[in-house]
Structures are given as structure tokens and as C-alpha cells.
Amino acid sequence: MGTNKQLNRSFKLTSTIFDQLLQQYSQIGFKKTQILQAWQQCGYNQQTFHEELIKISEKENALIMNEEDLFNSQIQLKMQLQQIEQQDLKIAIQLSLDQNVQQKPPITEERINKSTPVGLKNLGNTCYMNAMLQSLFNVLPFRKFILELDLKNNQSLASNFLLQLQLLFLMLQESNQSYINPYNLFDALQKFKPSAMFIRGVQNDFNELQNSFQDAIEQALKEENFEQQKKQFCEMFYGEAKEILSYKENDKEIIKFNDTTFGSISIEAADKDLEKGFLNTRVLIIDEYETENKEKTKAKIDQNIVQAPFLISFYINRVYYDPKQKQVCKNNTQFNFNSSLNINQFKTINQGQKNLELQKLDQEEQRILDQLKNFGDTKEEIEENFNKVIKLFKRNEGQIDNLVTIDGFCICDESTANPNIIQSDQMLFQLESYKEKMMKTVQLLTDQLERIQEQKKKLLKSDQNMYLLTSVLMHDGSANSGHYYCYVLDKKDLTTWWKCNDSTVTKVDFAQVYKDASGSNRVNSNVSGLVYEQEQWLKVDKIQINQKLLSMIQEDKEKQLIAQDEQKVFNRKSIILQQIQQQKNKQLKYKDYFDREFERFSNFDQFLNSVNQNVYQYYLILSTIQQDILLIKDQLNKPQEIDHYIKYFITQTNLITINYDNELKKSKDEYLMVNSLLQQLPLKNITNQNYSEIIRYYYTILKSIQEIKSCSTITNHLKKIYGVLLLKGCFFVDLSLQTNNISTCIEISQSLLIQINQNEIVDKLIFQQVFTNLKLSSEQAKLITKKPEIEDQIIKIQKKGELLINLKQLEFKSLESEIPQLQRLRNDVLKLWIYQYDKIKTEQKLLDQNERQNAEVLLYFG
């Protein structure tokens, strides 16, 4: 709220853990003193708080509850809280589903009377928000404040939230339709402040939502740098109070002062009266307050209003936990309130300072309301009921008339003392007279009520601490479920009231409002919240609507076409989900791990799946969505908005919550690079003539691939093939020597020496084996050629050679066609040397040279 002052617990709950616990547990029947004591005794540990609270409650309930009842109560309470959480989840799921529904084209049903307020469509369990919005819209200064905001076009979530609130208010004010769809505001609020829409609990949905909604407005103003407007907003809805904590410590009176800020005020329905409940919120007695010295003492907290806001919102808490019934219940007791409120009386505890004149008017107003309630329904309904009764006594000639009793006495001939039956025409005359007298009485009482309210309005003009009732929130239902609607005062005549029940808006008078709020019509339907405004607030100057805002309304038709397209796109959800699942079920065809690597680098999906599951899920979902929506492009109103529809689908389905575009690009680049390298891997025609070039290819490719994290598996396979090729190189040395091809023998020897001496990839044992093989070959060359110098040409590097070879960056190509060549290479061409390699690595020793040469000699001529 733009202040560092502590927020008053009795008025408006903060988001701190303790305040949340205080709100939740006090509303299901636990005392505030019990909650505070449990919070202190558990050491401010939320995990053990519940058990500690149960222990404290157990002591106080010991006289009326046995141990088994207490245990069952604990279980029942936990189950009840779980049910509340499950209800929250259902609400969240329902709202999420409804958010996926398009905002339909403008309603064809028009407002017949332009003075009638516009209703709001219920999107599914959103009646509490509709009631809140109607109540806020009816606050003219706040409406003016919102509509005159000059928003920047920065596309931020905060700006969009404020913009959608502006547009909704503008449509509520200017629309020709009987009701409008608030979906865009709901969507903007959900994106800007996701927690605002899903409120813990059931009965307290309205109060929590209103606090959260106001916090969202304040936060949005702050983020959009509306500092002055933010201050103005806070003055509307938040007041200042002083909290006085007093207790004794070591026989010394300790008094501490704390400035607090308050917003909506929670009143217990059990107080049965607004003023009494308001006074009760200002005093909190703590039997075991823990001082700074860790001592327990009795303490009292008094809270006095210093500066009241322009608007005061009261929440009537009707939910409590009944330990006998072992369930959450709703208190349907009648709650009294007046059409005006004097805040002066709440600035001190002294009741005698209350405005006596206003108090007298309040009492007279209450008396008349009670009398009107005794007459039943509205004047029109009373007259209609009388007409029905009169109709019963219209007789045809010759019929026998019966004695008629109305309100406990008989209609009879006034000239006789006995209740003689009179003729039908005389009886009808008496009924008509009785009806006329009753209607005159009702009209007289109604006129008196209006005069009293007019006198109270005049009093309001002379005192800024006088407030007028402008909104009544209603709840119809039980503790765990129900329906919200509201009554709002017409600011044009300050007499007419409007019942705003989602999309339906009807005209009523205050007597009907009070009757409904008291539960006379339905026991479970009663007042749940009250809004009072300062009298000076009831009228405002003409609202200057931003032209840009008006132009946005004109663009609504275009948006509706897009909304239709969005619905078509969203309807593809089940098909897309099925396609995604089919892609996930795809398996690699090859069993061999080396073959699988070639398959993996031929299929980007498989590659990504093996590298990064999160990025793979992102890519799989994104690509499937893109491909599917492109299929229906020609069916859309605006196919040029295809990218928007893809983003809309992703947002609405929540299939993608994190953007992995950067990671995806990096993985794609790696994939293409490795694919290009593997395309250039020599897999056939390895001879002693091309061996030197092939071994350089393998080393170059291996060195490039081993630096990539995603290629650890194929790197290990290539390292093995590289080692195997080194062993086969020794065979080519011997083969060239046996065929008297001395130059090739020396060339391959030098290539091998360069490979094993100038890179770190070669395994130590393989290095030793190759060098041992070459040493034996050099001795044989010396014997065959009779040239001693040839020995050094085979086992010593004559000149520094090139390890690497230049590779190209090739376009992507599937490697699956190369897999048969890879299999032939390992199962045929290199089979013997793979066996040698595995034996060296397994036994961790060099090969016996006689065995090696005996095995290889068979291949000299094969």
C-alpha cells in the first residue's frame, strides 16, 4: 500500500503467514486469542501451529467435549480444510476452463432503459467478482479515477490490467447491451496477479478478492509510475489508525503505540449489529501475551481511527466452526445496519460522543423498516395479493356467503354487535376499504422513511465523517457454497437501488434491500458486505474519457473476429494433445547403441529427447501446435494472425510455461553440426592406400564431437572405433611389408606415430600396443630389406605431420542410410581388431604378438 506502516490486523489482513492463519482459523470458529497464543507457543512454526492450536482449544472445550470427541474434531477440522482447498482447486479449474472460451460477439439484447445499469456475465463461479466489480463501479470518484488514467502503451501486464479495467468500466457506462462479458479483465488480472483469482476458502471469497484486487490496482499504478495517482487511490480505500498496546510488566504499566493502515473491516455476524461489531474490532484482549522478556501477562490492544478513508468497506463474517457438529457452518442471524454511519463515534471508545440527532434518526429509520417488513412484500405485491383475496368473494346470485377473517377479526355488519354474515357486495366494500387503508399506511411509512433518509443526507453534508450506505453485498447459500450478488445505490437520485445479479439487473427500493439483507425472503440469503461512502463523494464532475479509450471500444468488433478464431484454434486442443502423445510414444528402431546414435542424429526429436527433457517437451509441443494450426489456416477469419493464434493457444492451454527458444537454437546448431560431421565419417573402402587419410578424418571428427556435451555417448563409440583403426593400421604396416610395399609401410607407420604421439585421445594401453606392434614390424622390415635405417623410419617420427583434416559444413541429411555400412564396418571390416581392442581393455594387458600375427596373417590374402 505504499507505506511502511504495519497493517492493522482487525481491519485488513496482510499476506504474512500469521495474518493468513488468523484469517483462516478465526473464520472457522477459533478465537483470536487462541490463535495468537498458539502462534507464540509453537515458536512461529507454521508446521506445528495447527497441533498447538488444537491443544489450546482442547483445554477450553474440556468441559463439553471428551477426548474421543476432540480427536474426531481434529480429524474433522483437517478434513474440512482439505475440502476447502479442494473447492479452491475446483474453482480454479473451472475458471481456467472458462478462460478458454472466446469472448463472444456483442450481446444482441439491448438495454431498453439507458438508466438501468449493465450486468456482468457469470463465467462460472465468478459471481463474487461480478458483485465486487459492480460495487466498485458504483463508486463514482473511483470510476472517474480509473477512466481518466492516461496509460502508456507499453504492453506490460500491469498496464494491460489497468487498461482492461478501464474498458470494462467504459462498457458498463456506455454500452447499449444489457450485460457484458468481463473475460478480458479476468484474463488480464490472472496474468498480472495469478493469486488474485483463486482465494482460499469459500465464504470469504468476496472479501479476500476485494483486498487482492485493490492490491493489484495499487501494484499496477506503482509499476506504471503513477505515484500521485497511487497516493490518491490509497486515500480512497485505506485509512490510518493508531494501535495502543497496554500491559503490566513487573507491576509497571507498559504502553506502546503503533501507527497502522486499514482497508476493509471484518465484522463478526454474531455481533448482530454493524456499530457493535465495529467497536468490537477495535479492542483485542490477550490473556497470555508474551512480553519481550518471555513472560506471560494479560494485554489489551486498542485501535483508534486517526484518518478514515473516503470509502469504508465492511465484511460480515458468517462462517464458524461448530465443534459439536464438527463442521464449518454459516451463521444466518439477522445483522442490523443503517443507511448512514457516523465515524466520529469510532474515534474513541466513549459511546456518548455519538451524534445524538443521527442516532435518533437511525432508531426511527429502524422502526419504520421493521413495520414495513411486517407488511410483507412491496406495495405492488401487497396490492396484487389483496386483489386475489377480493376475487374469492365475488359471488353469483344465490350462493351462500361465508364468514371472512382478516388479520384476526371478522368482516361483519358494523350496525350489529354479533358477527353476522353480510352480503357479498358489502363484504367486497369492506375488503376494498381495508386494502385502501393498508396501502395508505404502507405509502405513509414509505414517505416517512424517505423523509428520514433525506434528513440524514443533510446531516452528512456538514460532517466529512458521515458516510452513506451505497452498496450491499449478498450471499445466498451455505458455508461451503453459494451465490453472490449485490445491491447498489443509484447516485442520480440517491433513492433508487439496483439489484445486480450477474447479467440480470432489476430496480428495487431500500425497504426491499433491507428485507432481503435480513434474511426475510430466504434464511440462507443475507448480507455479507457493506460499503459506505462520504456524502461529498456521491457526485462527481463530468468524466473526461480518453479519446484513445473510445477508439479502443470501436475496435471491439475486430477483436471479436479474432476471438472466434481463437476459439476454433482452442477447439483443436484434444487433437493436438493426442498428436503430442503419439510423438512421445515413438521409439528408436535400432537396438545397438552405436546404430542408435546415427538414428538419433537423423531425428531432431529423438536427439532433443536424449539431451534435454525440458527443451524436448517445449519443442515437441510447440512444433505440434504450429503444424496443426497451420492445417486450419484457411478456415480462420484472419489467417494473417496465425502467429497470434499459436501464442494464444499456448497461453490458454498452459501447455508451455517456460520459453526455451535460446536452448532450442543451441541444441539445433549442435545437432546440425554433428550430423554434418557424421556424414563425413568414412565407413567403407578402408585400405592401406587410403588409411592415412581415413585415420585423420576419424581423429578430426572425434576431436570436434568430443567437445560437445550432448555427444558423450557417440564420442565413446568413436573413441573405440578410432582405437580399433589404430590397431588395424598396424595390420596395414605388416601387410605392406609382406607385399614389399615399403613406402606404404613407412607412410602408415608415420601416420600411426603422429596419431599416438601428438594427441591426448589415445588410450594408454592402445598406445603401448601400437608402439609394440610397430617395433616388431620394424625388426621384420630390417630383416626383409637388409637396411638398418628402415627401423627408425618405422618407429621414429621423421617429420611433424598433420593430425587434422579440413571438413565441410554440409546440409542436413538423414544418417539412417549409413547404418548398414556402419554395421558392416564393425561386423566384418573391423571385426578382428574390435576383438583385439576389447581383449586389451578387458584384460588390461598387451596382446601376445605371436597370437596377434597368427590371427592377422589369415587376412593378408583374404
Side-chain angles (χ1 to χ4, degrees):
M1 292 203 352
T3 177
N4 56 8
K5 297 178 181 179
Q6 182 181 347
L7 199 59
N8 192 318
R9 288 190 296 273
S10 298
F11 295 145
K12 179 173 183 285
L13 302 177
T14 67
S15 59
T16 63
I17 294 175
F18 172 72
D19 289 327
Q20 292 173 359
L21 293 173
L22 182 66
Q23 173 81 347
Q24 179 177 351
Y25 283 88
S26 64
Q27 290 184 353
I28 57 176
F30 288 97
K31 299 176 182 177
K32 293 181 180 179
T33 53
Q34 292 176 335
I35 298 170
L36 180 59
Q37 184 180 353
W39 185 242
Q40 292 178 335
Q41 291 185 9
C42 73
Y44 316 113
N45 186 335
Q46 188 180 8
Q47 303 300 322
T48 59
F49 166 78
H50 177 81
E51 299 301 331
E52 194 65 41
L53 180 60
I54 292 297
K55 290 178 183 178
I56 294 171
S57 176
E58 178 182 2
K59 292 179 182 178
E60 297 186 9
N61 294 332
L63 295 177
I64 58 173
M65 299 178 67
N66 59 34
E67 184 175 349
E68 181 179 359
D69 287 336
L70 283 170
F71 176 77
N72 292 333
S73 175
Q74 295 177 38
I75 299 300
Q76 184 67 31
L77 178 57
K78 291 179 180 179
M79 291 176 63
Q80 188 65 51
L81 294 176
Q82 289 175 356
Q83 290 174 0
I84 289 175
E85 292 177 355
Q86 291 173 359
Q87 181 70 15
D88 288 338
L89 181 59
K90 290 179 180 179
I91 292 174
I93 292 173
Q94 182 63 45
L95 180 58
S96 176
L97 291 174
D98 287 321
Q99 283 182 332
N100 295 327
V101 179
Q102 71 180 58
Q103 181 162 343
K104 295 181 179 180
I107 309 299
T108 55
E109 181 184 354
E110 293 189 357
R111 276 197 292 173
I112 298 175
N113 188 343
K114 299 302 181 183
S115 64
T116 304
V118 178
L120 290 169
K121 181 180 179 181
N122 191 325
L123 302 180
N125 290 322
T126 59
C127 55
Y128 59 97
M129 186 159 183
N130 286 347
M132 179 203 69
L133 289 172
Q134 291 284 15
S135 175
L136 289 176
F137 175 74
N138 193 52
V139 180
L140 297 182
F142 178 66
R143 185 195 308 180
K144 177 180 175 70
F145 171 82
I146 290 297
L147 290 176
E148 292 184 353
L149 281 176
D150 186 13
L151 296 177
K152 302 169 186 175
N153 188 23
N154 59 8
Q155 302 300 316
S156 68
L157 293 178
S159 179
N160 184 53
F161 165 59
L162 292 174
L163 173 62
Q164 295 305 326
L165 182 57
Q166 281 187 324
L167 292 172
L168 181 73
F169 274 18
L170 185 58
M171 288 189 288
L172 284 172
Q173 178 173 288
E174 305 292 338
S175 177
N176 292 325
Q177 311 307 320
S178 62
Y179 67 92
I180 58 175
N181 192 329
Y183 167 76
N184 286 340
L185 175 61
F186 282 33
D187 182 58
L189 175 60
Q190 182 65 20
K191 290 176 181 176
F192 175 57
K193 195 172 183 180
S195 61
M197 292 300 295
F198 307 135
I199 309 302
R200 178 166 293 282
V202 178
Q203 180 70 8
N204 65 342
D205 281 344
F206 174 84
N207 187 46
E208 291 287 350
L209 174 66
Q210 179 165 293
N211 290 336
S212 186
F213 190 78
Q214 291 174 1
D215 287 344
I217 294 174
E218 186 180 348
Q219 180 182 338
L221 292 172
K222 180 179 179 181
E223 290 187 15
E224 294 303 304
N225 297 318
F226 287 117
E227 291 301 327
Q228 187 61 35
Q229 290 85 344
K230 177 172 163 290
K231 181 179 178 182
Q232 182 182 353
F233 171 79
C234 290
E235 290 174 351
M236 293 182 189
F237 293 95
Y238 304 118
E240 297 179 1
K242 185 174 290 294
E243 184 178 84
I244 306 171
L245 171 65
S246 59
Y247 60 90
K248 284 187 177 181
E249 187 174 18
N250 298 326
D251 295 328
K252 182 180 179 182
E253 185 75 17
I254 305 296
I255 299 178
K256 296 181 179 180
F257 297 91
N258 183 37
D259 292 332
T260 64
T261 304
F262 69 92
S264 62
I265 302 171
S266 182
I267 304 290
E268 295 299 322
D271 290 330
K272 299 183 180 181
D273 181 82
L274 177 64
E275 295 183 5
K276 177 184 176 182
F278 195 175
L279 287 170
N280 287 341
T281 65
R282 297 176 52 252
V283 181
L284 176 63
I285 304 298
I286 307 172
D287 292 327
E288 293 188 0
Y289 176 76
E290 186 175 290
T291 68
E292 295 177 356
N293 296 328
K294 303 299 181 181
E295 295 179 356
K296 300 291 181 64
T297 185
K298 189 171 183 178
K300 183 175 75 167
I301 299 178
D302 292 306
Q303 295 160 331
N304 295 331
I305 295 177
V306 176
Q307 178 63 52
F310 295 127
L311 174 148
I312 300 180
S313 176
F314 294 95
Y315 169 65
I316 315 303
N317 176 37
R318 294 184 176 274
V319 177
Y320 67 97
Y321 178 73
D322 188 338
K324 292 184 179 180
Q325 298 186 49
K326 302 174 184 177
Q327 64 180 2
V328 174
C329 301
K330 180 183 176 184
N331 185 347
N332 289 307
T333 187
Q334 179 174 335
F335 192 86
N336 296 319
F337 57 91
N338 295 317
S339 61
S340 61
L341 185 67
N342 186 351
I343 296 301
N344 282 331
Q345 62 185 305
F346 302 110
K347 288 194 172 183
T348 66
I349 300 177
N350 185 0
Q351 181 92 359
Q353 293 185 10
K354 181 176 179 181
N355 187 306
L356 296 178
E357 186 178 357
L358 180 65
Q359 185 178 21
K360 183 178 178 180
L361 290 172
D362 285 344
Q363 292 173 353
E364 185 65 16
E365 180 186 47
Q366 185 65 50
R367 183 187 66 80
I368 295 174
L369 285 170
D370 290 340
Q371 289 186 38
L372 285 172
K373 191 169 80 170
N374 291 333
F375 280 107
D377 301 316
T378 63
K379 291 181 293 184
E380 292 77 11
E381 291 172 333
I382 293 173
E383 185 174 13
E384 182 181 353
N385 291 334
F386 249 106
N387 291 334
K388 290 179 181 178
V389 174
I390 291 172
K391 187 177 180 180
L392 293 174
F393 296 98
K394 289 185 176 180
R395 307 294 184 183
N396 295 323
E397 187 176 354
Q399 287 185 304
I400 299 176
D401 296 310
N402 296 319
L403 189 67
V404 178
T405 300
I406 296 179
D407 280 3
F409 64 90
C410 300
I411 297 180
C412 58
D413 192 333
E414 295 178 355
S415 63
T416 63
N418 295 321
N420 297 321
I421 298 175
I422 63 176
Q423 297 298 319
S424 295
D425 56 347
Q426 293 176 313
M427 186 181 297
L428 291 173
F429 175 77
Q430 293 286 354
L431 284 172
E432 288 285 0
S433 299
Y434 188 78
K435 182 187 80 170
E436 185 177 350
K437 290 178 182 179
M438 179 177 283
M439 294 303 297
K440 286 181 178 180
T441 302
V442 172
Q443 184 61 51
L444 179 63
L445 288 172
T446 302
D447 293 341
Q448 289 178 0
L449 180 64
E450 290 180 357
R451 284 197 297 272
I452 289 173
Q453 291 178 342
E454 185 63 33
Q455 293 178 47
K456 290 174 70 174
K457 293 173 191 175
K458 291 179 179 179
L459 285 176
L460 290 174
K461 294 181 180 179
S462 61
D463 191 345
Q464 65 175 354
N465 288 320
M466 299 300 297
Y467 289 73
L468 185 68
L469 179 67
T470 59
S471 182
V472 178
L473 173 76
M474 299 293 299
H475 179 264
D476 187 351
S478 64
N480 293 321
S481 63
H483 175 65
Y484 283 100
Y485 59 95
C486 70
Y487 292 102
V488 295
L489 177 66
D490 192 320
K491 300 298 179 62
K492 293 175 183 173
D493 59 17
L494 298 181
T495 302
T496 302
W497 284 78
W498 297 97
K499 180 180 180 180
C500 301
N501 189 1
D502 288 331
S503 58
T504 303
V505 179
T506 53
K507 185 178 180 180
V508 295
D509 56 28
F510 184 69
Q512 182 63 29
V513 174
Y514 192 84
K515 181 182 177 182
D516 193 12
S518 66
S520 299
N521 291 333
R522 285 172 49 83
V523 175
N524 290 332
S525 179
N526 34 49
V527 60
S528 182
L530 300 165
V531 175
Y532 288 83
E533 297 179 51
Q534 285 186 6
E535 193 274 345
Q536 65 186 35
W537 257 48
L538 301 181
K539 301 288 184 180
V540 295
D541 298 331
K542 184 177 180 181
I543 300 174
Q544 300 297 324
I545 301 175
N546 192 309
Q547 186 60 40
K548 179 175 64 176
L549 205 57
L550 290 173
S551 65
M552 295 182 72
I553 292 293
Q554 299 303 319
E555 295 171 0
D556 186 63
K557 183 178 180 180
E558 191 79 3
K559 291 181 180 179
Q560 300 314 307
L561 293 176
I562 293 179
Q564 293 175 5
D565 286 346
E566 289 172 344
Q567 182 60 40
K568 287 181 183 178
V569 167
F570 182 78
N571 288 341
R572 305 287 298 177
K573 181 179 178 180
S574 59
I575 298 173
I576 290 174
L577 288 175
Q578 185 178 6
Q579 292 174 351
I580 291 172
Q581 190 58 46
Q582 290 173 351
Q583 291 293 326
K584 287 182 179 180
N585 294 334
K586 280 190 174 181
Q587 300 292 328
L588 289 168
K589 294 185 294 184
Y590 295 92
K591 296 182 180 180
D592 182 85
Y593 290 111
F594 201 9
D595 295 343
R596 282 190 172 190
E597 286 300 291
F598 271 68
E599 182 182 358
R600 189 165 70 102
F601 285 99
S602 298
N603 187 312
F604 185 60
D605 290 25
Q606 300 289 3
F607 165 75
L608 209 52
N609 189 21
S610 64
V611 172
N612 189 318
Q613 280 289 316
N614 291 333
V615 179
Y616 168 68
Q617 292 287 344
Y618 172 77
Y619 169 75
L620 175 61
I621 295 171
L622 180 62
S623 59
T624 305
I625 293 171
Q626 290 172 335
Q627 293 169 13
D628 186 85
I629 294 178
L630 282 172
L631 293 176
I632 63 168
K633 184 176 180 180
D634 294 339
Q635 303 173 26
L636 302 175
N637 296 316
K638 292 188 167 295
Q640 67 272 23
E641 298 291 336
I642 192 75
D643 291 338
H644 163 75
Y645 299 142
I646 291 172
K647 291 178 182 178
Y648 170 83
F649 182 89
I650 292 171
T651 301
Q652 295 300 307
T653 58
N654 208 30
L655 291 176
I656 295 176
T657 57
I658 301 177
N659 188 300
Y660 288 103
D661 280 344
N662 293 334
E663 293 85 346
L664 181 62
K665 184 179 183 305
K666 181 179 177 182
S667 297
K668 187 75 171 181
D669 292 341
E670 288 182 1
Y671 169 78
L672 293 175
M673 184 182 76
V674 175
N675 177 273
S676 175
L677 291 171
L678 294 180
Q679 286 185 55
Q680 301 173 68
L681 194 66
L683 297 176
K684 55 184 179 180
N685 299 325
I686 303 177
T687 65
N688 54 356
Q689 282 77 28
N690 64 9
Y691 176 80
S692 295
E693 182 181 28
I694 286 176
I695 198 66
R696 287 173 63 198
Y697 264 106
Y698 269 88
Y699 174 71
T700 303
I701 294 170
L702 178 58
K703 185 172 178 61
S704 300
I705 288 179
Q706 75 167 359
E707 297 173 358
I708 304 173
K709 282 186 179 181
S710 59
C711 297
S712 58
T713 301
I714 196 168
T715 296
N716 292 332
H717 286 295
L718 288 176
K719 276 185 178 180
K720 179 176 181 178
I721 296 298
Y722 176 69
V724 169
L725 285 173
L726 292 175
L727 294 177
K728 180 157 187 176
C730 297
F731 165 76
F732 282 136
V733 170
D734 291 342
L735 177 62
S736 301
L737 188 61
Q738 295 300 324
T739 57
N740 204 28
N741 191 345
I742 304 302
S743 61
T744 302
C745 172
I746 295 173
E747 178 188 348
I748 296 175
S749 298
Q750 288 297 309
S751 294
L752 287 170
L753 290 171
I754 291 171
Q755 290 292 326
I756 65 175
N757 282 285
Q758 295 186 20
N759 77 72
E760 69 287 352
I761 294 177
V762 181
D763 182 84
K764 184 177 179 181
L765 276 175
I766 300 300
F767 171 88
Q768 293 175 358
Q769 185 67 61
V770 171
F771 190 78
T772 301
N773 292 351
L774 290 179
K775 189 172 182 181
L776 180 60
S777 297
S778 67
E779 292 173 356
Q780 292 177 346
K782 182 178 178 181
L783 293 173
I784 293 173
T785 61
K786 309 296 184 182
K787 296 179 180 180
E789 66 273 11
I790 197 173
E791 186 175 2
D792 288 345
Q793 293 175 346
I794 294 177
I795 62 173
K796 292 181 180 180
I797 297 177
Q798 301 300 306
K799 62 179 181 179
K800 188 175 181 181
E802 292 292 332
L803 271 173
L804 303 174
I805 197 168
N806 292 327
L807 298 174
K808 301 176 182 178
Q809 180 60 44
L810 303 178
E811 294 293 327
F812 171 79
K813 173 187 172 184
S814 173
L815 302 173
E816 292 194 48
S817 61
E818 305 295 326
I819 293 177
Q821 294 293 336
L822 180 64
Q823 293 172 341
R824 177 179 172 277
L825 181 71
R826 290 179 297 138
N827 299 334
D828 186 11
V829 178
L830 300 179
K831 183 177 180 180
L832 174 61
W833 295 278
I834 290 175
Y835 168 79
Q836 292 180 3
Y837 182 93
D838 290 340
K839 186 174 182 180
I840 294 170
K841 297 292 288 182
T842 302
E843 298 179 359
Q844 286 293 296
K845 65 178 183 179
L846 302 182
L847 298 171
D848 180 271
Q849 289 295 334
N850 288 329
E851 290 182 9
R852 177 182 74 84
Q853 289 188 332
N854 288 338
E856 291 179 350
V857 73
L858 298 175
L859 301 176
Y860 286 168
F861 311 103

